[in-house]
């Protein structure tokens, strides 16, 4: 996540219950009123007979400000803990996590966290924690907060389809949340620093989005702002007076509820585990730790928007495919796998090969799964197009690649299964990071990259630049109503280059030189 919200973020990797990091986690949980939750596991094939094993649990803690003392006042307000569930004996942290998941003093945040909870429960059950986890409450899904924020904007409607976490972060926080490592193998140890940062960002951004939501609620007027003014003296009103005041009944009920909740908390929050009946009559175990009650503003958000995750018995069983059809023989399946393996590696001439009527210039089509690779290829001077539409069908991708004599680059293994694929038309990129993907494509297709090619294509549209550069005066004229040129460039006697397709202007400033040096290093042009 390349954002300002991670600059001051402290990340603690917890791999043992005897470590200082685990002690710090216990301390932070007892002083947090809000936590963000996320989990990672090794990517698996759909419809398998068992749930995947969760490798990492991320807990982002927002410390309660009013409890800051001399020993903690200089620490970050937000801390992120990465629990290595492959190293920690799971029974040793089971009670702690189960208590946190149901603690009424901690609001839990997540993004589609029910699936994570199902996998977590299965993982802990497999290690001797028989009952696993069956609930998380109080809980807020980030999608609900996003819908509220967007719906309150003039002219905005609640989206019909669920946005990705990266999209929500982009729209709400204005930061880019990279998802390159989402499908990396989280079961491998040690985790890379990039994986740790990625995992921490996924949990921490949940706290940031809640902060935006809280500010928006406060600005629009707190629907409970009169509750604090209602005291016992005010509750002695007669029925006539009560009904004459708008929403007074609701306010009285809410006040009574909050007071009752505080009494329950005062009697149940202690150093000892206690059992109390819940509203549904189910007995739940309280945490064995001291916790701090939420402040009024957070309580009101939980009261109005709070939810919970409850796992049913059917949730604990992996869903298998119910599609009916002819059963393939074992030999047929083996042959199919062999065909896919063969197509996974590049063989034969390329579509731009001169012997096939091509022009000899490498050309690629990058689907949405490797869209970042397209920009990297353009930066080193390689023609790299993207699909015509944002959500193209598989056949549209194949047709575009065939028509423009391009090799389709993708990470989608399903594309390899289409029968109408033309030979030597598609290549599945194996690497996850953009720099590694670039090197993989260069090596696979034996591309020749030289320093003169760097930054010779428009990274925005893949177009070519004009042959002669523009002067500052010409660039200012060309940019009118289209692009803003910073005033600080006017007296630097720079040369400007314009894309012949989209008219975007470029100049050789600090960003240009940094990019050139980056790709010199990535492509090892100095060696």
């Amino acid at each position: 996540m390349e954002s300002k919200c991670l600059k001051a973020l402290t990340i603690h990797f917890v791999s043992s219950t005897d470590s200082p990091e685990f002690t710090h986690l216990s301390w932070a949980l007892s002083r947090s009123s809000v936590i963000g939750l996320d989990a990672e596991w090794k990517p698996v094939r759909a419809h398998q007979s068992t749930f995947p094993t969760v490798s990492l649990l991320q807990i982002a803690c927002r410390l309660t400000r009013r409890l800051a003392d001399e020993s903690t006042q200089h620490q970050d307000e937000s801390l992120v803990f990465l629990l290595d569930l492959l190293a920690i004996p799971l029974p040793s942290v089971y009670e702690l996590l189960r208590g946190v998941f149901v603690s009424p003093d901690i609001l839990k945040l997540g993004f589609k966290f029910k699936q994570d909870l199902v996998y977590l429960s299965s993982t802990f059950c497999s290690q001797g924690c028989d009952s696993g986890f069956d609930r998380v409450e109080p809980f807020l899904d980030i999608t609900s907060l996003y819908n509220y924020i967007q719906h309150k904007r003039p002219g905005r409607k609640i989206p019909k389809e669920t946005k990705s976490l990266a999209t929500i972060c982009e729209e709400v926080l204005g930061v880019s949340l990279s998802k390159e490592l989402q499908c990396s193998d989280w079961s491998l140890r040690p985790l890379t620093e990039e994986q740790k940062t990625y995992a921490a960002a996924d949990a921490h951004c949940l706290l940031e989005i809640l902060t935006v939501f809280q500010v928006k609620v406060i600005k629009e007027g707190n629907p409970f702002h009169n509750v604090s003014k209602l005291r016992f003296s005010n509750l002695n009103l007669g029925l006539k007076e009560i009904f004459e005041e708008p929403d007074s009944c609701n306010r009285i009920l809410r006040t009574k509820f909050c007071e009752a909740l505080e009494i329950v908390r005062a009697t149940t929050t202690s150093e000892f585990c206690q059992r109390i009946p819940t509203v549904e009559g189910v007995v739940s175990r309280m945490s064995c730790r001291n916790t701090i009650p939420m402040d009024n503003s957070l309580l009101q958000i939980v009261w109005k928007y709070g939810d919970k995750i409850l796992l049913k018995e059917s949730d604990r069983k992996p869903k298998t495919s119910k599609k009916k059809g002819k059963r393939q023989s074992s030999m047929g399946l083996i042959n199919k796998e062999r065909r896919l393996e063969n197509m996974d590696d590049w063989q034969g001439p390329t579509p731009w090969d001169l012997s096939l009527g091509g022009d000899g210039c490498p050309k690629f089509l990058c689907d949405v799964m490797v869209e970042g690779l397209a920009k990297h290829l353009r930066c080193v001077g390689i023609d790299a197009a993207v699909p015509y539409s944002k959500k193209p069908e598989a056949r549209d991708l194949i047709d575009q690649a065939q028509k423009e004599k391009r090799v389709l680059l993708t990470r989608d293994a399903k594309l390899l299964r289409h029968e109408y694929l033309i030979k030597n038309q598609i290549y599945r990129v194996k690497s996850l990071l953009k720099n590694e993907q670039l090197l993989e494509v260069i090596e696979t297709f034996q591309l020749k990259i030289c320093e003169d090619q760097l930054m010779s294509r428009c990274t925005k549209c893949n177009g070519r630049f004009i042959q002669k550069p523009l002067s500052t005066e010409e660039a200012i004229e060309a940019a009118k109503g289209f692009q803003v040129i910073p005033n600080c460039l006017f007296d630097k006697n720079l040369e400007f280059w314009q894309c012949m397709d989209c008219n975007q202007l470029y100049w050789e400033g600090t960003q240009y030189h940094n990019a050139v040096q980056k790709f010199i290093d990535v492509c090892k042009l100095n060696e």
Side-chain angles (χ1 to χ4, degrees):
M1 183 181 189
E2 302 174 359
S3 74
K4 59 185 178 182
C5 62
L6 275 182
K7 288 182 180 178
L9 184 62
T10 304
I11 303 173
H12 299 277
F13 190 75
V14 185
S15 57
S16 169
T17 53
D18 298 326
S19 64
E21 290 80 9
F22 182 78
T23 302
H24 200 41
L25 167 64
S26 301
W27 173 87
L29 287 174
S30 67
R31 286 158 176 80
S32 299
S33 54
V34 181
I35 63 173
L37 296 170
D38 192 28
E40 305 294 345
W41 52 85
K42 180 181 179 180
V44 294
R45 293 189 176 186
H47 309 306
Q48 65 174 29
S49 58
T50 58
F51 287 126
T53 299
V54 177
S55 307
L56 195 72
L57 176 64
Q58 303 101 280
I59 304 178
C61 299
R62 189 171 83 181
L63 304 183
T64 303
R65 293 181 183 177
R66 65 175 183 268
L67 294 173
D69 51 35
E70 293 181 359
S71 63
T72 63
Q73 62 183 358
H74 298 297
Q75 292 183 345
D76 297 329
E77 184 186 357
S78 297
L79 304 172
V80 178
F81 297 87
L82 307 181
L83 274 69
D84 186 356
L85 300 186
L86 298 183
I88 299 176
L90 300 190
S92 65
V93 295
Y94 173 60
E95 289 294 337
L96 170 66
L97 294 179
R98 190 167 69 159
V100 168
F101 286 169
V102 298
S103 171
D105 297 326
I106 303 176
L107 172 60
K108 276 71 68 173
L109 306 175
F111 178 75
K112 299 181 180 179
F113 191 70
K114 182 175 181 179
Q115 181 186 46
D116 300 53
L117 186 64
V118 169
Y119 294 174
L120 269 174
S121 184
S122 172
T123 299
F124 274 78
C125 284
S126 68
Q127 296 297 316
C129 306
D130 294 336
S131 56
F133 306 110
D134 63 348
R135 65 177 58 213
V136 174
E137 60 177 326
F139 176 78
L140 268 179
D141 193 291
I142 289 302
T143 302
S144 301
L145 301 188
Y146 168 77
N147 288 342
Y148 176 87
I149 293 171
Q150 296 301 89
H151 181 58
K152 288 294 182 180
R153 292 182 182 179
R156 296 300 296 266
K157 294 182 179 179
I158 295 179
K160 293 181 180 179
E161 57 184 22
T162 302
K163 299 271 187 169
S164 67
L165 183 58
T167 301
I168 292 175
C169 284
E170 186 74 39
E171 295 187 15
V172 176
L173 304 178
V175 297
S176 176
L177 187 66
S178 172
K179 304 304 289 184
E180 288 183 46
L181 294 173
Q182 185 176 27
C183 296
S184 61
D185 190 346
W186 292 94
S187 65
L188 295 178
R189 292 295 182 273
L191 295 176
T192 65
E193 290 303 314
E194 290 80 7
Q195 283 179 306
K196 292 179 182 178
T197 302
Y198 164 87
D202 263 13
H204 181 252
C205 69
L206 306 177
L207 302 181
E208 296 290 318
I209 294 171
L210 176 66
T211 300
V212 174
F213 173 76
Q214 285 183 283
V215 170
K216 189 171 184 64
V217 169
I218 292 172
K219 284 183 177 180
E220 292 176 352
N222 193 336
F224 305 101
H225 68 281
N226 289 324
V227 173
S228 60
K229 298 179 181 179
L230 282 172
R231 300 302 178 191
F232 287 104
S233 59
N234 302 102
L235 299 180
N236 292 325
L237 295 172
L239 285 177
K240 181 178 179 181
E241 289 85 354
I242 289 176
F243 286 121
E244 286 176 352
E245 290 193 28
D247 296 331
S248 58
C249 289
N250 288 335
R251 283 187 276 133
I252 292 171
L253 288 174
R254 289 167 188 155
T255 303
K256 286 295 188 183
F257 172 82
C258 292
E259 290 170 353
L261 188 60
E262 291 301 326
I263 293 173
V264 172
R265 282 178 176 164
T267 57
T268 57
T269 303
S270 67
E271 293 291 340
F272 305 98
C273 292
Q274 301 184 32
R275 293 175 181 268
I276 61 171
T278 63
V279 176
E280 292 90 348
V282 180
V283 176
S284 64
R285 183 189 299 270
M286 298 298 293
S287 172
C288 301
R289 320 184 66 83
N290 274 327
T291 53
I292 308 299
M294 298 180 194
D295 59 31
N296 287 336
S297 63
L298 207 54
L299 269 175
Q300 291 158 4
I301 286 177
V302 171
W303 174 251
K304 184 171 183 181
Y305 304 101
D307 200 353
K308 58 186 173 182
I309 300 176
L310 297 176
L311 297 188
K312 298 178 291 186
E313 195 61 36
S314 59
D315 294 323
R316 300 179 182 275
K317 299 177 182 178
K319 294 179 174 60
T320 56
S321 176
K322 297 181 179 179
K323 292 183 179 179
K324 297 181 179 180
K326 296 181 179 179
R327 297 183 62 183
Q328 297 184 10
S329 65
S330 58
M331 185 59 68
L333 290 173
I334 293 173
N335 291 334
K336 182 177 181 180
E337 291 297 324
R338 285 177 179 171
R339 287 200 307 272
L340 293 179
E341 289 177 4
N342 291 337
M343 295 184 72
D344 218 14
D345 296 318
W346 186 260
Q347 297 175 352
T350 56
W352 57 79
D353 192 283
L354 296 173
S355 64
L356 298 178
D359 56 9
C361 298
K363 290 187 283 291
F364 297 95
L365 172 62
C366 300
D367 73 356
V368 292
M369 299 189 75
V370 289
E371 206 164 0
L373 173 60
K375 291 186 177 180
H376 270 44
L377 286 168
R378 294 168 186 174
C379 287
V380 298
I382 301 297
D383 186 343
V386 294
Y388 297 139
S389 61
K390 292 183 178 181
K391 295 182 179 180
E393 297 291 336
R395 186 58 189 257
D396 297 331
L397 289 171
I398 303 302
D399 290 344
Q400 182 179 348
Q402 180 186 9
K403 179 181 177 181
E404 300 176 5
K405 296 186 183 300
R406 298 180 182 275
V407 168
L408 173 60
L409 301 178
T410 183
R411 279 188 51 77
D412 187 0
K414 294 178 182 178
L415 280 174
L416 302 178
R417 299 187 176 97
H418 288 279
E419 297 179 355
Y420 52 78
L421 278 172
I422 297 175
K423 189 179 180 181
N424 300 333
Q425 185 96 44
I426 188 170
Y427 174 74
R428 192 174 81 89
V429 180
K430 301 170 185 64
S431 303
L432 287 168
L433 301 178
K434 291 192 287 286
N435 289 349
E436 295 175 3
Q437 290 176 344
L438 175 62
L439 291 176
E440 180 184 339
V441 172
I442 290 174
E443 182 180 347
T444 300
F445 295 93
Q446 299 180 352
L447 305 178
K448 294 180 180 179
I449 307 297
C450 62
E451 190 171 340
D452 292 339
Q453 286 180 255
L454 302 181
M455 311 310 292
S456 61
R457 301 191 77 91
C458 176
T459 56
K460 184 179 179 181
C461 78
N462 194 42
R464 282 287 191 180
F465 295 137
I466 55 177
Q467 293 184 345
K468 288 181 63 179
L470 300 175
S471 65
T472 302
E473 292 75 15
E474 291 172 328
I476 293 173
E477 186 64 29
K480 281 184 178 179
F482 170 71
Q483 187 177 354
V484 177
I485 298 179
N487 295 332
C488 61
L489 302 179
F490 293 167
D491 58 351
K492 292 189 177 182
N493 196 28
L494 296 175
E495 291 183 337
F496 293 81
W497 300 87
Q498 189 172 30
C499 174
M500 291 187 290
D501 292 341
C502 70
N503 297 321
Q504 182 78 13
L505 286 165
Y506 295 84
W507 54 89
E508 296 183 6
T510 304
Q511 188 175 358
Y512 167 84
H513 292 295
N514 290 342
V516 168
Q517 188 57 52
K518 170 187 174 179
F519 287 103
I520 287 176
D521 297 337
V522 171
C523 299
K524 302 174 183 178
L525 300 183
N526 285 335
E527 298 179 6

